Amino acid sequence: MDNQEHEVEITEKSKRKPFPGWLYGVLFVLFDAIGVGILEWGVTATSRVKLSSPTIGWGFVSKMWTDLNFVAVLNLLLCGIVYLILLMISNRFWVATPIYLALAIIIAVIEHFKITIRYEAVIPSDLSFLKSDAGNLMSFMPSGAQWIILGAVAGFLVLLGLCLYLNRIDARHGRMFRAADQRTGLANAAARILLVIIPAGFFGMYAMQAGTVGSWANTLNVAMGDQSSMWDSVYDAQRNGPVVSFLRQLNPKVMEKPEGYSEATMKQVAKRYAKAAESINAKRSANLNDSTVVYVLSESFSDPSRVPGLKVNKDSMPNIRKIKENTTSGYMLSSGYGGGTANLEYMGLTGMSMANFDSSLSSPYQQLVPGQHWTPTINQLWGAPKNSIGVHPYESSMYSRAINYKKFGFSHFYTLTGPDIISHQDKLGSSPYVSDEAAYKSTLEELKKTKSNQFIQLITMQNHMPYHDWYPNNEFTAQSTTGTALGKTEQESIQTYQKGAAITDQETEKFLKQLDKIDKPITVVFYGDHLPGIYSTASEDSNNSLALHLTDYFIWSNKASSSQGNKAENSAYTSPNFFMAQTAEHMNAKVSPFIAFLTQMHQKISAMEPPVVNQIQGWQRIPEGQSLYLDASGKPMAASDFDKKTRQLVDDYKLIQYDITTGRNYLKSLGFMDLPKQ
């Protein structure tokens, strides 16, 4: 290099100035926002679900001034903590920034791929997949993945180039702490350590409590505008940001450890109900798994004529009303109003009650089941997975069902998105959902594939909200009797729903007639999971709380079954956690110690649900307080009035549920779930 070139370089360096502290602050916020934006892109790049209307994309930011919702700021804060930690560790702004952006891009691409393939956001249980099945990650790449990866790399290179350029013109080269002497150097080192430990400690404490209702972290979330939407992990991530959505599932509080929980206690509990099972079985002759059992969760099915303050012109369920008169039937107490399907489904399959869980556990399918070591469900009583079939004419990933059904021991789960594709997908009118007729056809095909006995779980979708005048020539009308007319939207929704419920009524009768033609014993447990969330007039009156949480159910057996026409005792009211016990009673079938426990529990408490679940998910229809207990006549019971036997059953229920869901699984080796040997 000659002297002239050397002088030019010295001149250029002398022109460069170190960036002032305020500029680093501005750039920090800017790059933090870019990182959050990249993460939000990862969960909004693909959307298949039509039932949700999340505020995503630019709306994720704009709702700060349109709705005073600052969940975007909460995500900026959380991502900023990670960014700050990287900055303090490296002490170089132009080193930490590309690392932070690279992490955001990698996570966003992974989110994009998972949503494209499964319509499910990244959840904490995916971390265990990295340990157990990391070698198969390439098989989860969607079609065209190489272009997404190339685009991500190109985007990162642009951002990296920007960082390199800014580093070049910054005479400080991004150094955050500079020391003129050793003493200053030690002080700077101490400051950097504190700026790692304190934010990391805050982040860790936040992550551990974000999913616990009533904690400071959860209170912060709500104050910033977080609206938990656990039923749909993608919707939740889009609406509330992927960071908040992920962290709320990281450490959910499942249950308080019951007093006296130990191996010795659980042996006593197992012995107590093994004895009860012996007593029950001495009077019964049938076996549960000598018949096929079909659970039909009929989406939002309920009786519009029972809604307070509503007058309808025509009965929507004359056929089901008649069916109920001649078999085990009644009303089911639902924990949901307008949503929460999977919670009712979970209770029906497991016999667990949401009333026993901590209020923070708003969605067992997402917060509990993926991490459970032992997940006993009723279908497992039919033995090998080939005898357990799931049918759901919608997305397989909703409520993480695809993962959970495999864990429950179902060999096939037929949905619109596979891997097992449901065979019938017809729709009615302009409805976006598969009809009940099509859902029943698909179920009948599974029943006819084998002469063996099966357990089949059908979750329908026809009557899922919203309801927008889908059906031509709708003869149903509704009007208010409160003195205040129904709003136009409410009236349209109710009348559309009435027509859909009437179609369900007709198709359910046809389905049962088809089952009567099959020469193998079949028992059907039919229930509506919750009322549709369309009765805004009725829901304004808190006195209507109970009425808006009661749906219809029945347990019916076909002609080939010896239990056709049976009517189990104490069936006027129930909740889904008692279905397996009621099914066994209806069929005069022998029971396991667990089902014996549920049988005794149902004799004392006909139905039980947690009112707080509604508050967590935004339904707020039942006042806060104790769990809701109903007696045999449907009247609320006060826990303080329970007799000694009832109190013991309630306490034992908590011990049993704790042991199975979050305890040491002592009951697993004690035969607690086993039916008597045939």
Side-chain angles (χ1 to χ4, degrees):
M1 180 183 297
D2 56 33
N3 290 336
Q4 187 176 4
E5 290 177 342
H6 184 66
E7 288 174 1
V8 169
E9 183 176 344
I10 292 173
T11 302
E12 289 179 354
K13 286 183 178 181
S14 64
K15 291 180 181 179
R16 297 174 194 160
K17 296 181 179 180
F19 284 4
W22 66 264
L23 182 55
Y24 280 119
V26 171
L27 290 171
F28 181 91
V29 173
L30 174 63
F31 286 116
D32 185 21
I34 291 173
V36 172
I38 290 169
L39 291 172
E40 186 69 7
W41 167 85
V43 297
T44 60
T46 302
S47 182
R48 297 198 303 247
V49 171
K50 297 179 181 179
L51 65 92
S52 304
S53 300
T55 304
I56 57 177
W58 173 242
F60 181 67
V61 177
S62 65
K63 64 182 178 181
M64 282 193 289
W65 48 86
T66 59
D67 302 331
L68 296 180
N69 183 303
F70 299 97
V71 73
V73 176
L74 180 59
N75 281 266
L76 282 171
L77 171 64
L78 295 171
C79 289
I81 289 173
V82 176
Y83 188 9
L84 177 63
I85 291 171
L86 291 171
L87 192 56
M88 291 301 101
I89 291 173
S90 65
N91 196 31
R92 293 290 193 282
F93 194 91
W94 305 117
V95 172
T97 298
I99 293 175
Y100 166 71
L101 295 173
L103 288 173
I105 290 171
I106 291 169
I107 293 170
V109 169
I110 293 171
E111 290 269 24
H112 176 83
F113 286 168
K114 192 179 181 196
I115 291 171
T116 300
I117 297 168
R118 297 184 180 178
Y119 192 78
E120 183 179 57
V122 172
I123 56 178
S125 59
D126 292 330
L127 300 178
S128 61
F129 179 85
L130 294 176
K131 296 179 182 178
S132 61
D133 209 11
N136 293 325
L137 283 175
M138 291 302 294
S139 64
F140 290 91
M141 294 290 187
S143 176
Q146 68 274 16
W147 301 112
I148 298 295
I149 293 172
L150 286 173
V153 170
F156 174 71
L157 290 176
V158 170
L159 291 170
L160 178 61
L162 176 62
C163 290
L164 291 173
Y165 171 74
L166 292 173
N167 177 62
R168 178 177 175 80
I169 64 174
D170 176 17
R172 188 170 168 176
H173 295 300
R175 187 186 292 271
M176 294 290 93
F177 288 90
R178 294 177 292 181
D181 53 48
Q182 186 177 6
R183 188 174 182 179
T184 306
L186 290 173
N188 288 348
R192 287 172 56 196
I193 291 171
L194 287 174
L195 286 173
V196 169
I197 293 175
I198 293 174
F202 173 87
F203 192 91
M205 289 189 293
Y206 171 88
M208 291 299 101
Q209 298 187 54
T212 301
V213 171
S215 69
W216 69 268
N218 184 262
T219 301
L220 173 63
N221 286 356
V222 174
M224 296 295 283
D226 175 39
Q227 296 173 300
S228 178
S229 309
M230 297 291 293
W231 65 90
D232 182 341
S233 63
V234 178
Y235 180 22
D236 194 35
Q238 291 171 343
R239 189 185 200 187
N240 301 302
V243 179
V244 172
S245 177
F246 179 87
L247 292 178
R248 86 161 98 257
Q249 301 178 61
L250 197 59
N251 186 43
K253 186 176 182 181
V254 179
M255 287 180 69
E256 291 284 355
K257 184 178 180 179
E259 185 178 351
Y261 176 73
S262 67
E263 183 175 10
T265 299
M266 298 317 298
K267 284 182 177 179
Q268 291 175 3
V269 169
K271 185 177 180 180
R272 185 179 302 138
Y273 297 107
K275 185 176 180 180
E278 288 179 10
S279 177
I280 293 171
N281 293 338
K283 303 171 186 176
R284 297 186 182 181
S285 56
N287 297 299
L288 263 175
N289 47 23
D290 282 345
S291 294
T292 287
V293 169
V294 181
Y295 271 24
V296 178
L297 186 160
S298 186
E299 172 61 43
S300 297
F301 186 82
S302 56
D303 185 357
S305 69
R306 287 194 294 105
V307 175
L310 190 70
K311 182 181 178 180
V312 298
N313 70 319
K314 189 176 178 181
D315 188 1
S316 294
M317 48 174 284
N319 296 304
I320 288 178
R321 205 178 302 281
K322 187 174 182 180
I323 292 166
K324 289 181 65 177
E325 290 175 357
N326 300 300
T327 193
T328 301
S329 66
Y331 300 125
M332 187 201 81
L333 178 62
S334 173
S335 62
Y337 171 75
T341 298
N343 291 352
L344 285 305
E345 183 183 332
Y346 170 82
M347 288 188 278
L349 289 172
T350 65
M352 304 293 114
S353 174
M354 291 297 295
N356 290 331
F357 286 132
D358 187 87
S359 58
S360 300
L361 194 79
S362 60
S363 182
Y365 269 17
Q366 273 106 342
Q367 295 172 289
L368 172 65
V369 175
Q372 270 188 271
H373 299 294
W374 181 36
T375 54
T377 48
I378 184 173
N379 62 289
Q380 294 168 18
L381 300 177
W382 274 258
K386 68 178 181 179
N387 299 322
S388 295
I389 305 295
V391 180
H392 179 45
Y394 200 59
E395 298 274 349
S396 62
S397 61
M398 287 294 286
Y399 290 108
S400 300
R401 282 192 181 99
I403 297 171
N404 294 335
Y405 270 64
K406 185 175 182 180
K407 197 161 192 174
F408 290 157
F410 284 80
S411 59
H412 296 285
F413 183 45
Y414 293 96
T415 66
L416 296 180
T417 53
D420 295 315
I421 303 296
I422 195 169
S423 54
H424 297 277
Q425 302 182 14
D426 302 313
K427 300 173 183 177
L428 298 173
S430 57
S431 169
Y433 303 117
V434 172
S435 70
D436 281 357
E437 179 184 14
Y440 283 140
K441 282 182 179 179
S442 297
T443 304
L444 281 166
E445 286 183 358
E446 294 306 312
L447 283 165
K448 293 176 180 179
K449 282 182 181 179
T450 176
K451 293 183 178 180
S452 299
N453 293 314
Q454 306 162 283
F455 180 92
I456 295 182
Q457 168 88 349
L458 167 63
I459 311 131
T460 71
M461 278 298 292
Q462 176 188 290
N463 295 319
H464 203 292
M465 67 181 303
Y467 312 98
H468 296 310
D469 195 20
W470 293 334
Y471 310 112
N473 304 316
N474 185 355
E475 72 277 20
F476 286 88
T477 61
Q479 62 186 73
S480 173
T481 61
T482 64
T484 303
L486 299 173
K488 182 178 179 181
T489 300
E490 182 179 8
Q491 188 161 31
E492 178 186 87
S493 295
I494 292 172
Q495 292 175 177
T496 302
Y497 171 78
Q498 285 178 273
K499 180 65 174 180
I503 295 170
T504 295
D505 178 71
Q506 296 163 8
E507 295 304 329
T508 300
E509 183 195 35
K510 291 179 184 177
F511 177 61
L512 299 188
K513 286 182 176 179
Q514 290 292 319
L515 297 183
D516 264 336
K517 297 177 183 179
I518 298 177
D519 188 24
K520 68 176 180 179
I522 301 172
T523 291
V524 173
V525 179
F526 174 98
Y527 66 103
D529 56 337
H530 54 72
L531 272 74
I534 55 178
Y535 304 114
S536 54
T537 300
S539 65
E540 289 175 359
D541 186 349
S542 60
N543 293 321
N544 297 333
S545 293
L546 183 56
L548 294 177
H549 285 79
L550 289 174
T551 68
D552 294 87
Y553 89 97
F554 64 77
I555 302 175
W556 173 96
S557 299
N558 71 343
K559 290 180 179 178
S561 173
S562 60
S563 53
Q564 185 176 56
N566 284 0
K567 292 185 179 182
E569 295 181 359
N570 186 30
S571 62
Y573 290 88
T574 192
S575 46
N577 52 307
F578 294 126
F579 279 158
M580 63 175 73
Q582 289 183 280
T583 302
E585 184 179 359
H586 172 87
M587 296 169 63
N588 194 35
K590 296 179 180 181
V591 299
S592 65
F594 179 54
I595 298 178
F597 160 75
L598 291 174
T599 302
Q600 290 193 352
M601 186 80 188
H602 190 239
Q603 290 169 354
K604 289 290 188 177
I605 298 175
S606 291
M608 56 191 297
E609 294 295 353
V612 74
V613 168
N614 300 281
Q615 303 228 351
I616 293 170
Q617 301 197 4
W619 301 318
Q620 298 186 21
R621 300 291 180 253
I622 298 178
E624 279 191 273
Q626 68 160 46
S627 294
L628 183 62
Y629 302 107
L630 299 183
D631 64 16
S633 60
K635 294 180 180 178
M637 305 167 67
S640 58
D641 295 335
F642 289 165
D643 59 27
K644 183 178 179 180
K645 176 64 175 177
T646 305
R647 284 198 298 270
Q648 182 186 55
L649 286 163
V650 170
D651 290 342
D652 285 350
Y653 205 171
K654 291 176 181 176
L655 285 165
I656 291 165
Q657 191 156 324
Y658 181 83
D659 184 72
I660 292 171
T661 60
T662 194
R664 302 296 295 273
N665 298 159
Y666 295 125
L667 292 173
K668 185 176 183 180
S669 61
L670 299 176
F672 194 67
M673 296 293 173
D674 298 338
L675 294 173
K677 293 182 179 179
Q678 300 179 19

